Amino acid sequence: MTTIKVGLIGTGYIGLVHLEVLRRLGRVEVVAVADTDRDLARAAAARFGVERVYDNAEALIADGEVEVVHDCAPNNVHFDVNARAIGAGKDLLAEKPLALDARESGELLRLAEARGTLAGIDFCYRYYPVVQEAAARTRRGDLGEVRAFAGHFLQDWLFFETDYSWRLDPAIAGQANVVADLGSHWFDLVEFITGRRIVEVMAELHTCLPKRRRPRGGVLSFGAGARGESEEVAVTLDDYASVFLKLDNGARGNFTTCQAAAGRKVDLEIQIFGSKESYAWSHVHPNALWIGHREKGNEVFYESSQLQAEETRKYATLPTGHPLGYHDAVFNLFRDFYEAVEAKRAGRPHEARFPDFRTGHRMMRVIDAAVRSDKAGAWARVE
Amino acid sequence: MTTIKVGLIGTGYIGLVHLEVLRRLGRVEVVAVADTDRDLARAAAARFGVERVYDNAEALIADGEVEVVHDCAPNNVHFDVNARAIGAGKDLLAEKPLALDARESGELLRLAEARGTLAGIDFCYRYYPVVQEAAARTRRGDLGEVRAFAGHFLQDWLFFETDYSWRLDPAIAGQANVVADLGSHWFDLVEFITGRRIVEVMAELHTCLPKRRRPRGGVLSFGAGARGESEEVAVTLDDYASVFLKLDNGARGNFTTCQAAAGRKVDLEIQIFGSKESYAWSHVHPNALWIGHREKGNEVFYESSQLQAEETRKYATLPTGHPLGYHDAVFNLFRDFYEAVEAKRAGRPHEARFPDFRTGHRMMRVIDAAVRSDKAGAWARVE
Amino acid sequence: MTTIKVGLIGTGYIGLVHLEVLRRLGRVEVVAVADTDRDLARAAAARFGVERVYDNAEALIADGEVEVVHDCAPNNVHFDVNARAIGAGKDLLAEKPLALDARESGELLRLAEARGTLAGIDFCYRYYPVVQEAAARTRRGDLGEVRAFAGHFLQDWLFFETDYSWRLDPAIAGQANVVADLGSHWFDLVEFITGRRIVEVMAELHTCLPKRRRPRGGVLSFGAGARGESEEVAVTLDDYASVFLKLDNGARGNFTTCQAAAGRKVDLEIQIFGSKESYAWSHVHPNALWIGHREKGNEVFYESSQLQAEETRKYATLPTGHPLGYHDAVFNLFRDFYEAVEAKRAGRPHEARFPDFRTGHRMMRVIDAAVRSDKAGAWARVE
Amino acid sequence: MTTIKVGLIGTGYIGLVHLEVLRRLGRVEVVAVADTDRDLARAAAARFGVERVYDNAEALIADGEVEVVHDCAPNNVHFDVNARAIGAGKDLLAEKPLALDARESGELLRLAEARGTLAGIDFCYRYYPVVQEAAARTRRGDLGEVRAFAGHFLQDWLFFETDYSWRLDPAIAGQANVVADLGSHWFDLVEFITGRRIVEVMAELHTCLPKRRRPRGGVLSFGAGARGESEEVAVTLDDYASVFLKLDNGARGNFTTCQAAAGRKVDLEIQIFGSKESYAWSHVHPNALWIGHREKGNEVFYESSQLQAEETRKYATLPTGHPLGYHDAVFNLFRDFYEAVEAKRAGRPHEARFPDFRTGHRMMRVIDAAVRSDKAGAWARVE
C-alpha cells in the first residue's frame, strides 16, 4: 500500500473542507498547500500537519512530489491553474466552475483528454447517498421515462445591501453569479439522476439588489456582512435567476435560484417526475428520498447501507439511521476519485463514475446558453 | 333575521362542496338546484333537503325566490350562466374561470359593475387562515418590499394515459388546461399575498402525454381512470406549464404546474421573498406558515384564533391547534361573501374583501398572456 | 325522507362545533338548544336558525319533538343529563367524559342498554380518515400482532399561572384533569386502532403549576388567560401525567400528557409497533399516516377517497389531496351516528361502529385505574 | 506543535468510526490498534495507515508511545480495559457504558480522579450543534425552569426473531439491554440540556420477543439478521423499556425505548418544557432545534456558525445550511477532548466540557435504579 501525495491550492473556506475530508481517506497525504495569502496557507498547514507551504500555484505545481492537485482557487484563476496542473502531468480535482466560460472549459477538457489526466470536479451534491440511490433507480428503470422536473436552490447570504462577495464582480466571477454558482449544481443533479442531457434553455437573470455596499478591504465567501468602511457599488450580475430547461428526450423542467431569500440557507430542492414514479430530494433534509406514486402511498426512503441498491450502499457508510452530512458527501466523491487514481497507478481499468471535466464542460455550456438566452429573451440551445 | 335564498347550478363534485358548506352558514338556505343531469340534481337535492330541482340553468335563474346564484357549471357555459344571472338581478358566486377568455370575462365584469351585482369567484386557497395572515402581515409592512417568489401546483390525476377529463378538450375547457385550472389559483395567491399586480409573463405550455385513452361514455372530474371502452385521442392542451412572472414593482417570480406528477395530489406551494422576511406556504400542510429570517431562527406559525393579526383571527375559527381543512377555506370565503350580501340587503356599506369579478377577470388576462407568450416564445404583457 | 329532530344542551365552544357540523348533515334539524346562560343559547340559536331556546336541560329533554339529544354540558352534569335523556327515550350523543367516575358511567351504560338507546360519545380523533385507515389495516392483518405503542398529547393553554379553567376544579371536573381530558382520547385511539383492550396501567399524575390565578368572574374553555381581578388558588389536579399501559395481549405502551408545554397546541401523537409493520399519526399533520417497515422504505400515506381501504374511503370525502380538518372528523362521527339513527327509525339492523357508551365507560375505567395507580405508586388493573 | 499519539482497542463498527474521525483532527496520530480478531485489526490498520497492530488490549496499553487510549471493546471488558489504561497513566476516551454496573463505574471514576486521568466517554448525541445550542440557551436562562420532558429512542434492528446481538446476552451486555444502550444516551441529553440531575425513576423493562434465533457463529452489531444455521434462545433482557423520571428540581419526564419498532432506525427524540419556552430535537432531522412559544409562532432553528450562541458556534463548523451528520458530532466531541489533552500537556488549565467518567458513572447509576425499579414495581432513587 502506497500513499498518494496531494497538493492543494487555495486555503479559503472550501480549501479547508478539502483538507479535512482528505484526512479521512487513509491512503492520501497532503504534502503541500499554496495560497497567495501566505498566512492563511500557513495556518491551514499547521492545523492539518502539512509539510510544505507555497505562496503561489505555480510553485506547488512544480513540486515533484505532488501527484494530485486540488484546485480550490478563485474562479478567475481556475483555467490557468487547471491547465498548468494538466500540463505538469498531475491528476486533478478542481472546484467548479472549471473556468469562466465554455470556450475555456472546452480547452481544459481537450488538454485533459490529450494527457490522460484523471480530472474530477467537485459536484458534491450528487454524492449524498439517496441522490446516488435516485440515479441508480433511474438506471434500473424504476422511474420510467422522465417527463418533467422542477426545483430551486435558494440562499440568503446576499440578503442585505451590506452583503458583498467577489462572486458579484464579473472580473472575478465571470459572466454570471447565481445561475452559475448554484445553478450548475442543480443542472448536474438533473443530468446525473435522469441520465439525460440538457439541450435547450430559456433563462431570466435578474438583480434583486442593484446597489450594494462593498467593504473597502477584501471579502470572503459566506461573509457575515460588511464591517468597517464600505462604498456603494452597482451590481450587474444576477442574484436571482429562473430557467426553463429541455432534456434530450423532450422532458421539460423549471428552476429558480436566488441568494436573497431570507431564511433559506443552502436550500436545494429537486423533483423529478417519471412515467412510473417520482423522486424528490431536499438538501435541507438530505438523508431522505421521497418517492411518489399515483396508486399507493408515497415512500420516504432514508439513506441506508442495508436497503439501498447494491451499487450505492457504499455511500451510506454508517448503520441505517446515523445521518450523513455535507462532509460525508464530499468524502464520497473524493473516495471515488481516489479509487480511480489508485486504479490508474496500478494500471487497472477504472470507471470514472465521479463528475469529471466532461461534466464540468457540459455545465459550463448550459450556463453559457442561459446567459445567451437571457440577453436574447428567447430560448437558446446548449452548444 | 331573514334568510338568504340561494339557487345552485351544477351538482357535480364542486357543486356538492358548495351545498355542504352553504349549510354551515346559518342564515342561508338553498331553495333550488339545477343540472342538465336531472338524476344528479335530484340526488343532491335529496341529500341536502333542497326543495326545487331544475334541469337547466335558465329555469333556476328565472325562479323568483332565488336571490343568489352559485355557478358550478362547466367552464364553457360559465359566461352564459353568469351573464344571465347578472341580467336577472341576482347576486352571484361563480366557480373559476369566469369564462373562456379575457374578452368574455371583461364583458362579465362590465355587466356586473353596471348592475351593481355582488359577484364573487371561488379562489378559495386564499382563505386558509395562514394565507390570510401572510397577506395581513404584508399589508402592515412585515414583508418589506417583495423581491422574488416561486412555487408550484402539482397533481397526479392525469398521470396515466387512461386518465382523461373534459379539461383536456379545448371545446369545453378553453385555450389552456393546467396553466388556467391550477395556475389561476397560484397567480391569485401571488397577488393576494403581495398586494401587487402581475404585469408580464413568459410561459411554456407543454403536453407530457400527447396521446390518451378517452372513455366512450362521459367523464367526471378527478375520475379514477377510464373504465370500459375507450378510444385514443390526441391531446393538445397543456398538462405541464412553467411561467416566469413580473410584478408591477419589478419583482420576479417563477411557477411550475403539472398534472402528471406521481404522488403529488393537490400540492400547491408558494414562497415569497421580501426585503425584510420571507413567507412559504404549502397546501400539503395548510395549517402552518413558514416565516424566514436572515438573522435569527425561522418561524413556523400555526393558524390561530389567538395569535393571528386581529383582522384575520375570524378565519381560524377553532381554538389554536384544531386543524382546519379545505371545507373550512371554502366556508371562510362564503362567509365573507354572504356578509357582503347581508350588508347590501341592509343598505349598509360593505367592503368586498372576497375575490370578485375584477379578480377573476385579472386572472383571465394573466392566462391569456401566458397562452400568447407560449405561442410567441417571448414575454407577453398582461393586457 | 324524514328529518331527524335534535336538541342540544350546552352552547359553549364545543356546542357551537356540534351545531355547525349538524348543519352539514342534510337530514338532521336542530329544533332546540338549552344553556343556563340564556344569552349564549340565544346567540347560538340566532346564528344557526334554531327555533326554540331553553335555559335548562330538563326543559329541552321534555320537548316532545326532540328525538336526539346532544349533551355538551360541563362534566359535572353529564351523568344527570345523560341519565335523564335516556330515561325520556331520546337517543343520545354525549361529549366525553360520560360522567365523573366509572361507577356513574357504568350506571349510564346499564340504563342505555336497558332502554335500547343509541348512545354515542364524541371521541372524534378516531374519525380522521387515516386513523380509520390504520384501524382497517390492523383488522385485515397488515400490522401483525401489536407489540408496543407510545405517544403523547400536549397542549399549552395552561402554560401561564394566569391560565385557569374549570377543568382544574375537582368539584366540576372530577378526580383528574389532563389524564382524563386528553388521556381518554389517546386511550381510545389505542384501543380503536389495535382492536385490543387496555388491562393494566401505572400512572403518575403531577401538577407542574401548583398555584394559579383564578379570575373572580367565570372562565371559559381555551380562555386566553385571566383578565381583570383574580385570586390565587392552589391546584391539586394534574396538568401533567404519564402512564404505562398493558394491553390484553401483553403489548406495552407509554403515554405522556401535559397542558403546560409551550408551543404545543393540540399535539396528539401515537405510534404503534406491530410484528409486521408500524403506524404513526400526529394530529399536527392529521392528513397523513406513517407506515414503518424494517426491510424497505417507509410510507407516508395521505388520506384518500381513492386509495384507502374500501370500508374507510367514505371518511375521506374529497378528492385526494384536499385536506380534511377537525370539523370533518366530527362530521364523520356524526354521520356514522345518524346513519345508525336512521337505521333504527327504519327498523333496519345497524352496526354501531361509532364510539358508544361501552367505549365511554371503558375509558372511564382506565382513568379510574390511572388515578388509583398514582395514589398507590403501583400498577393498577382496569376493573 | 507536537502530535498526540493514540492507541485504539476494538476495531469493530464503532472503532472504525473513531479511527476515521481521529484522522480529521490534524494533530492526533493513531499509532496502534488492538483487537482479539487480528484480521479485523490488520484491515483497520491498513485502511488508516496505522503502524502497529496488537491482538490484545494489554499489549497496546503497554506500548510506551501510546499517550491516549480509545476503548471501543465490548461492554464486558470495559472495566478491565479502562482500569488498566488508567493504571498505565494513559488518558482515556471510552465507549459507553463505562462498565457493567455502578459499582464498577464508581471504581473507575475513583481511579481516574486519583490518577488525574483525562477520562472521556462517547455520549456523542450532545455534540450535534443545536443540542449544544439548547444547553447554552438553558444556561443563559431562556428556557426558564424546566417543568417536564418527554421522548423516545427507537430502532428496528432487533425487529425480527432472526435478529440477534451480543447485547441480548447478560454475560456480555450486563443487566439490561435497551434501557442501558439507548436509554443512557437519552438520560445524558436530559441532564446536559437541562443542567439538572435525575434523582428518581420508575421503570418497566419488557421483552417483546422472548424467543430469538441465534446464529451458531458470532454476531456483529447492527447485523442484518442471522444467516446460515441458528438455534433458538430465550431472551430475558429488555428490547423495550419505559421510564418515568424525576429531576432534582421536581420536574417530571417520561421516556420510551424499543428496538423492535419497524421503520424507526436511530430515532431519538427529546422534548423539554420550561417555564419560558420549550425545546424539541429529533435525531431524524438533527440539524434543527424546535423552540416552542405560547404567545407567538414557534421557531425552527437550524444549526449555524453565524446565529448560534457565541460559545456553541464552533460546533457548527460549516457555513449555515450545510448539514452536519453523525460523524461531525463525534468529531466535535473528540475535538473538545483533545483540546483538553493539549491543555493538560501544556500545563494549561482546561475545563472538562466533554462528557467524562463522572457523567458515565452517573448514567450507570440511573440504569441501575431503572433495573431495581423494574424488579420492585416501584419508584427507585438514583443512588
Side-chain angles (χ1 to χ4, degrees):
Chain A
M1 185 195 76
T2 57
T3 296
I4 300 165
K5 302 294 201 291
V6 176
L8 181 139
I9 297 162
T11 54
Y13 148 61
I14 197 66
L16 294 177
V17 170
H18 279 235
L19 286 171
E20 188 172 324
V21 173
L22 278 164
R23 295 271 311 174
R24 293 167 66 179
L25 297 164
R27 306 198 286 214
V28 172
E29 186 187 355
V30 180
V31 296
V33 293
D35 203 296
T36 52
D37 181 338
R38 190 185 270 266
D39 289 343
L40 208 63
R42 277 208 186 107
R47 179 166 153 202
F48 291 105
V50 177
E51 243 172 75
R52 292 189 293 286
V53 174
Y54 298 103
D55 63 2
N56 65 82
E58 295 74 11
L60 183 139
I61 292 168
D63 184 325
E65 201 190 14
V66 169
E67 300 170 84
V68 180
V69 167
H70 281 235
D71 176 4
C72 300
N75 294 3
N76 58 331
V77 295
H78 279 183
F79 176 79
D80 190 55
V81 166
N82 291 340
R84 201 178 288 262
I86 294 167
K90 316 293 189 187
D91 288 320
L92 179 59
L93 186 43
E95 268 305 312
K96 40 145 288 251
L98 281 198
L100 292 184
D101 59 37
R103 196 192 49 75
E104 288 185 358
S105 62
E107 173 67 8
L108 289 174
L109 175 58
R110 199 188 57 73
L111 291 173
E113 288 184 340
R115 186 71 185 239
T117 309
L118 274 176
I121 181 165
D122 187 21
F123 283 125
C124 56
Y125 291 94
R126 55 155 95 169
Y127 272 99
Y128 281 94
V130 294
V131 175
Q132 290 283 336
E133 180 69 8
R137 285 178 184 235
T138 302
R139 284 195 295 270
R140 77 178 183 216
D142 293 14
L143 180 70
E145 189 72 16
V146 57
R147 289 170 171 171
F149 54 102
H152 57 246
F153 198 160
L154 305 169
Q155 298 185 328
D156 72 357
W157 66 286
L158 293 178
F159 178 71
F160 291 119
E161 289 207 345
T162 47
D163 297 320
Y164 189 79
S165 162
W166 59 262
R167 293 183 181 281
L168 295 168
D169 180 351
I172 310 179
Q175 58 195 336
N177 168 39
V178 71
V179 81
D181 186 23
L182 304 190
S184 61
H185 279 298
W186 199 87
F187 303 147
D188 178 58
L189 288 185
V190 169
E191 293 201 348
F192 177 65
I193 298 175
T194 66
R196 292 282 174 189
R197 297 287 163 254
I198 299 168
V199 294
E200 200 174 354
V201 299
M202 165 81 209
E204 188 192 19
L205 277 56
H206 177 67
T207 309
C208 292
L209 286 85
K211 283 182 186 169
R212 290 180 180 267
R213 307 288 315 170
R214 180 171 57 192
R216 289 192 194 273
V219 282
L220 299 172
S221 287
F222 290 103
R227 309 232 184 282
E229 280 196 45
S230 66
E231 59 193 338
E232 188 175 290
V233 288
V235 174
T236 55
L237 290 190
D238 52 312
D239 53 22
Y240 166 96
S242 52
V243 188
F244 299 161
L245 304 106
K246 291 182 193 167
L247 300 187
D248 53 12
N249 73 335
R252 296 310 203 274
N254 192 9
F255 171 65
T256 312
T257 185
C258 183
Q259 284 170 322
R264 301 303 190 194
K265 305 304 178 183
V266 185
D267 186 351
L268 186 164
E269 187 171 296
I270 185 165
Q271 303 194 56
I272 293 177
F273 305 112
S275 60
K276 294 188 179 166
E277 61 187 27
S278 305
Y279 304 137
W281 181 72
S282 165
H283 187 248
V284 177
H285 297 304
N287 314 103
L289 179 70
W290 179 89
I291 303 172
H293 300 290
R294 157 68 182 271
E295 297 279 81
K296 57 178 181 174
N298 298 321
E299 286 171 69
V300 175
F301 183 90
Y302 202 89
E303 61 191 14
S304 173
S305 47
Q306 282 88 47
L307 303 180
Q308 296 198 187
E310 194 73 30
E311 69 201 89
T312 73
R313 288 182 191 181
K314 66 176 170 182
Y315 302 114
T317 48
L318 291 168
T320 314
H322 293 83
L324 298 185
Y326 180 80
H327 284 123
D328 302 297
V330 176
F331 171 81
N332 281 334
L333 187 153
F334 282 18
R335 193 179 52 182
D336 267 13
F337 176 76
Y338 279 98
E339 282 176 8
V341 173
E342 287 195 326
K344 184 183 173 188
R345 298 284 178 277
R348 279 187 281 114
H350 53 85
E351 191 192 355
R353 264 291 166 79
F354 57 86
D356 60 13
F357 275 27
R358 279 168 305 184
T359 317
H361 176 48
R362 215 163 48 238
M363 290 309 110
M364 192 59 79
R365 289 153 59 207
V366 175
I367 306 303
D368 273 19
V371 171
R372 274 185 284 121
S373 164
D374 175 60
K375 284 189 180 132
W379 288 85
R381 292 203 63 82
V382 177
E383 281 160 4
Chain B
M1 187 195 74
T2 58
T3 296
I4 300 164
K5 302 295 204 289
V6 175
L8 180 140
I9 298 162
T11 55
Y13 148 62
I14 197 65
L16 294 177
V17 170
H18 279 234
L19 286 171
E20 188 171 323
V21 172
L22 279 163
R23 295 271 310 175
R24 292 167 67 180
L25 296 165
R27 306 198 286 215
V28 171
E29 188 187 355
V30 179
V31 296
V33 294
D35 201 296
T36 53
D37 180 338
R38 190 186 270 268
D39 289 342
L40 208 63
R42 277 208 184 107
R47 177 165 153 203
F48 292 104
V50 177
E51 244 173 73
R52 293 190 292 285
V53 174
Y54 299 103
D55 64 3
N56 65 82
E58 296 73 10
L60 183 139
I61 292 168
D63 184 324
E65 201 189 16
V66 168
E67 299 170 85
V68 179
V69 168
H70 280 235
D71 175 5
C72 299
N75 294 3
N76 58 332
V77 295
H78 278 183
F79 177 79
D80 190 56
V81 165
N82 290 340
R84 201 176 288 262
I86 294 166
K90 316 293 188 186
D91 288 320
L92 180 59
L93 185 44
E95 267 306 311
K96 40 143 289 250
L98 279 198
L100 291 184
D101 59 37
R103 198 194 45 77
E104 288 185 359
S105 63
E107 172 67 8
L108 289 174
L109 175 58
R110 202 190 53 76
L111 291 172
E113 288 184 340
R115 187 71 186 237
T117 310
L118 274 175
I121 181 165
D122 186 22
F123 283 125
C124 56
Y125 291 94
R126 54 156 95 171
Y127 272 99
Y128 282 94
V130 293
V131 175
Q132 290 282 336
E133 180 69 8
R137 284 177 185 237
T138 302
R139 284 195 294 272
R140 76 177 182 217
D142 293 15
L143 180 70
E145 190 72 16
V146 57
R147 289 171 171 171
F149 54 102
H152 57 245
F153 197 160
L154 304 169
Q155 298 185 329
D156 72 357
W157 67 284
L158 293 178
F159 177 72
F160 291 120
E161 288 207 346
T162 46
D163 296 319
Y164 190 79
S165 162
W166 59 261
R167 293 184 180 279
L168 295 168
D169 181 351
I172 309 179
Q175 58 195 333
N177 169 39
V178 70
V179 79
D181 186 22
L182 304 190
S184 61
H185 279 297
W186 199 87
F187 303 147
D188 178 58
L189 287 186
V190 169
E191 293 202 347
F192 177 66
I193 298 174
T194 67
R196 292 282 174 188
R197 297 289 164 254
I198 298 167
V199 295
E200 200 174 354
V201 298
M202 165 81 209
E204 188 192 18
L205 277 55
H206 177 66
T207 309
C208 292
L209 286 85
K211 284 184 185 167
R212 290 180 180 269
R213 308 287 316 171
R214 179 172 56 193
R216 289 192 193 275
V219 282
L220 299 172
S221 287
F222 290 102
R227 309 229 185 282
E229 281 194 45
S230 66
E231 60 193 338
E232 187 174 291
V233 289
V235 174
T236 56
L237 290 190
D238 52 313
D239 52 23
Y240 166 95
S242 52
V243 188
F244 300 160
L245 304 106
K246 289 182 194 169
L247 301 187
D248 54 11
N249 73 334
R252 297 309 203 274
N254 192 9
F255 171 65
T256 312
T257 185
C258 183
Q259 285 170 324
R264 300 303 189 193
K265 306 303 178 183
V266 186
D267 186 351
L268 186 164
E269 188 170 296
I270 187 166
Q271 303 195 57
I272 293 177
F273 304 112
S275 60
K276 292 188 180 166
E277 62 187 28
S278 305
Y279 304 137
W281 181 73
S282 165
H283 188 248
V284 177
H285 298 303
N287 314 104
L289 179 70
W290 179 89
I291 304 172
H293 300 290
R294 156 71 182 269
E295 298 280 82
K296 59 177 182 176
N298 298 320
E299 286 172 69
V300 175
F301 184 90
Y302 202 88
E303 61 192 13
S304 172
S305 47
Q306 282 87 46
L307 303 180
Q308 295 197 186
E310 193 73 30
E311 69 200 89
T312 73
R313 289 183 191 181
K314 66 176 170 181
Y315 301 114
T317 48
L318 291 168
T320 313
H322 292 83
L324 298 185
Y326 180 79
H327 283 123
D328 302 296
V330 176
F331 171 81
N332 281 334
L333 187 152
F334 283 17
R335 193 179 52 182
D336 268 12
F337 176 76
Y338 279 97
E339 281 177 8
V341 173
E342 287 195 325
K344 185 183 174 188
R345 298 285 179 278
R348 277 186 283 113
H350 53 85
E351 191 192 356
R353 263 290 166 80
F354 57 85
D356 61 13
F357 275 28
R358 279 168 304 184
T359 316
H361 177 48
R362 215 163 47 239
M363 290 309 109
M364 192 58 79
R365 290 154 57 208
V366 175
I367 306 302
D368 273 19
V371 171
R372 274 185 283 121
S373 164
D374 174 61
K375 283 187 181 134
W379 287 84
R381 291 204 63 81
V382 177
E383 279 160 4
Chain C
M1 186 194 74
T2 57
T3 297
I4 301 164
K5 302 293 203 287
V6 175
L8 180 140
I9 298 162
T11 54
Y13 148 61
I14 197 66
L16 295 178
V17 170
H18 279 235
L19 286 171
E20 188 171 323
V21 172
L22 278 164
R23 295 270 311 173
R24 293 167 65 180
L25 296 165
R27 307 198 286 214
V28 172
E29 187 188 356
V30 179
V31 297
V33 293
D35 201 296
T36 52
D37 180 338
R38 190 185 270 266
D39 289 343
L40 209 62
R42 277 208 185 107
R47 178 165 153 202
F48 291 104
V50 178
E51 245 173 73
R52 294 189 292 285
V53 174
Y54 299 102
D55 63 2
N56 65 81
E58 296 74 10
L60 182 140
I61 291 168
D63 184 325
E65 199 189 18
V66 168
E67 298 171 85
V68 179
V69 167
H70 281 235
D71 176 4
C72 300
N75 294 2
N76 59 331
V77 295
H78 278 183
F79 177 79
D80 190 55
V81 165
N82 290 341
R84 200 177 288 264
I86 294 167
K90 315 294 190 188
D91 288 319
L92 179 58
L93 185 44
E95 267 306 312
K96 40 142 290 248
L98 280 198
L100 291 184
D101 58 37
R103 198 193 47 74
E104 288 185 358
S105 63
E107 173 67 8
L108 289 174
L109 175 58
R110 201 190 53 74
L111 290 173
E113 288 184 340
R115 187 71 186 239
T117 309
L118 273 175
I121 181 166
D122 186 21
F123 283 125
C124 55
Y125 291 95
R126 56 155 95 170
Y127 271 100
Y128 281 94
V130 292
V131 175
Q132 291 282 336
E133 180 69 8
R137 283 177 184 236
T138 302
R139 283 195 295 270
R140 78 178 182 215
D142 293 15
L143 180 70
E145 189 72 16
V146 57
R147 288 169 172 173
F149 53 102
H152 56 246
F153 198 160
L154 304 169
Q155 297 184 329
D156 72 356
W157 66 286
L158 294 178
F159 176 72
F160 290 120
E161 288 208 344
T162 46
D163 296 320
Y164 189 79
S165 162
W166 58 262
R167 293 184 180 280
L168 295 168
D169 180 351
I172 309 179
Q175 59 195 333
N177 169 39
V178 71
V179 80
D181 186 22
L182 304 190
S184 61
H185 278 298
W186 199 86
F187 303 146
D188 178 58
L189 287 186
V190 169
E191 293 201 349
F192 177 66
I193 297 173
T194 67
R196 293 284 174 187
R197 297 288 164 254
I198 298 167
V199 294
E200 199 173 354
V201 298
M202 165 80 210
E204 187 192 19
L205 277 55
H206 177 67
T207 309
C208 292
L209 286 85
K211 285 183 184 168
R212 288 180 181 269
R213 306 290 314 172
R214 180 171 56 192
R216 291 192 192 273
V219 281
L220 300 172
S221 287
F222 290 101
R227 308 231 185 281
E229 280 195 45
S230 66
E231 60 193 337
E232 187 175 291
V233 290
V235 174
T236 55
L237 289 190
D238 52 313
D239 52 22
Y240 167 96
S242 52
V243 188
F244 299 160
L245 304 106
K246 289 182 193 168
L247 300 187
D248 53 13
N249 73 335
R252 297 309 204 273
N254 192 10
F255 171 65
T256 312
T257 185
C258 183
Q259 285 169 323
R264 300 303 188 194
K265 305 304 178 183
V266 185
D267 186 351
L268 186 164
E269 187 171 298
I270 186 164
Q271 302 195 58
I272 293 177
F273 304 113
S275 59
K276 293 187 180 167
E277 61 186 28
S278 305
Y279 304 137
W281 181 72
S282 164
H283 187 249
V284 177
H285 298 304
N287 314 103
L289 179 70
W290 179 88
I291 303 173
H293 300 290
R294 157 68 182 271
E295 298 279 81
K296 57 178 181 174
N298 299 319
E299 285 171 71
V300 174
F301 184 90
Y302 202 90
E303 62 191 12
S304 173
S305 47
Q306 281 89 47
L307 302 180
Q308 295 197 186
E310 193 73 31
E311 68 200 89
T312 73
R313 289 182 191 182
K314 66 176 171 182
Y315 302 114
T317 48
L318 291 169
T320 313
H322 293 83
L324 298 185
Y326 180 80
H327 283 124
D328 302 296
V330 176
F331 171 82
N332 281 334
L333 187 153
F334 283 17
R335 193 179 54 182
D336 267 12
F337 176 76
Y338 279 98
E339 280 177 9
V341 173
E342 287 195 325
K344 184 182 174 189
R345 298 284 179 277
R348 280 185 282 112
H350 54 86
E351 191 191 356
R353 264 291 165 80
F354 57 85
D356 61 13
F357 274 28
R358 279 168 305 184
T359 316
H361 177 47
R362 215 163 47 239
M363 289 309 110
M364 192 59 79
R365 289 154 58 207
V366 175
I367 306 303
D368 273 19
V371 171
R372 274 185 283 120
S373 164
D374 174 61
K375 284 188 179 134
W379 287 84
R381 291 204 63 80
V382 177
E383 278 158 5
Chain D
M1 185 194 77
T2 57
T3 296
I4 300 164
K5 302 294 203 288
V6 176
L8 180 140
I9 297 162
T11 54
Y13 149 60
I14 197 67
L16 295 177
V17 170
H18 279 234
L19 286 171
E20 188 171 324
V21 172
L22 279 163
R23 295 271 310 174
R24 293 167 65 180
L25 296 165
R27 306 197 287 214
V28 172
E29 186 187 355
V30 180
V31 296
V33 294
D35 202 296
T36 53
D37 181 336
R38 191 184 271 265
D39 289 343
L40 208 63
R42 277 205 186 110
R47 178 165 155 203
F48 292 104
V50 177
E51 243 172 74
R52 294 190 291 284
V53 174
Y54 298 103
D55 63 3
N56 66 82
E58 295 75 9
L60 182 139
I61 292 168
D63 184 325
E65 201 190 15
V66 168
E67 299 170 84
V68 179
V69 167
H70 280 236
D71 176 5
C72 299
N75 293 3
N76 58 332
V77 296
H78 278 183
F79 176 78
D80 190 54
V81 165
N82 290 341
R84 202 177 286 263
I86 294 167
K90 316 293 190 188
D91 287 320
L92 180 57
L93 185 44
E95 267 306 311
K96 41 142 288 248
L98 280 198
L100 291 183
D101 58 38
R103 196 191 49 73
E104 289 184 358
S105 62
E107 173 66 7
L108 290 174
L109 175 57
R110 200 188 55 73
L111 291 172
E113 288 184 339
R115 188 70 184 238
T117 309
L118 273 176
I121 181 165
D122 186 20
F123 283 126
C124 56
Y125 292 94
R126 54 156 94 169
Y127 272 98
Y128 281 95
V130 293
V131 175
Q132 291 282 336
E133 179 70 7
R137 284 177 185 237
T138 302
R139 283 194 296 271
R140 76 175 183 218
D142 293 14
L143 180 70
E145 189 72 16
V146 56
R147 288 170 171 171
F149 53 101
H152 56 247
F153 197 160
L154 304 169
Q155 298 185 329
D156 72 357
W157 66 286
L158 294 177
F159 177 72
F160 290 120
E161 288 207 345
T162 46
D163 296 320
Y164 189 79
S165 163
W166 59 262
R167 292 183 180 281
L168 295 169
D169 181 351
I172 309 179
Q175 58 195 332
N177 169 39
V178 70
V179 80
D181 187 22
L182 304 190
S184 60
H185 278 298
W186 199 87
F187 303 147
D188 178 58
L189 287 186
V190 168
E191 293 202 349
F192 177 65
I193 298 174
T194 66
R196 293 284 175 187
R197 297 289 163 252
I198 298 167
V199 294
E200 200 174 353
V201 298
M202 165 81 210
E204 188 191 19
L205 278 54
H206 177 67
T207 309
C208 292
L209 285 87
K211 285 181 185 167
R212 289 180 181 268
R213 307 290 312 171
R214 180 172 55 192
R216 290 193 192 273
V219 281
L220 299 172
S221 288
F222 289 102
R227 308 232 184 281
E229 280 196 44
S230 66
E231 59 193 338
E232 187 175 290
V233 289
V235 174
T236 55
L237 290 190
D238 51 313
D239 53 22
Y240 166 95
S242 52
V243 188
F244 299 160
L245 304 106
K246 290 182 193 167
L247 300 187
D248 53 12
N249 73 334
R252 297 310 204 272
N254 192 9
F255 172 65
T256 312
T257 184
C258 183
Q259 285 170 323
R264 300 303 189 193
K265 306 303 177 183
V266 185
D267 186 351
L268 185 165
E269 188 171 297
I270 186 165
Q271 303 194 57
I272 293 177
F273 304 113
S275 59
K276 292 189 180 167
E277 62 187 28
S278 305
Y279 304 137
W281 181 73
S282 164
H283 187 249
V284 177
H285 297 304
N287 314 103
L289 178 71
W290 179 89
I291 304 172
H293 300 290
R294 157 70 182 270
E295 298 279 82
K296 58 178 181 174
N298 298 319
E299 286 171 69
V300 174
F301 183 90
Y302 202 89
E303 61 191 13
S304 173
S305 46
Q306 282 88 47
L307 303 180
Q308 295 198 187
E310 193 73 30
E311 68 199 271
T312 74
R313 289 181 191 183
K314 66 176 170 182
Y315 301 115
T317 47
L318 292 168
T320 313
H322 293 83
L324 298 185
Y326 180 80
H327 283 123
D328 303 296
V330 176
F331 171 81
N332 281 334
L333 187 152
F334 283 17
R335 193 179 53 183
D336 267 13
F337 177 77
Y338 280 97
E339 281 177 7
V341 173
E342 287 196 324
K344 185 182 172 191
R345 297 286 179 276
R348 279 186 281 111
H350 53 85
E351 191 192 355
R353 264 291 166 79
F354 57 84
D356 61 13
F357 275 29
R358 279 168 304 184
T359 316
H361 177 47
R362 216 164 47 238
M363 290 309 110
M364 192 58 79
R365 289 153 59 206
V366 175
I367 306 302
D368 273 18
V371 171
R372 275 185 282 122
S373 164
D374 175 60
K375 285 189 179 132
W379 287 84
R381 293 202 62 81
V382 176
E383 279 160 4

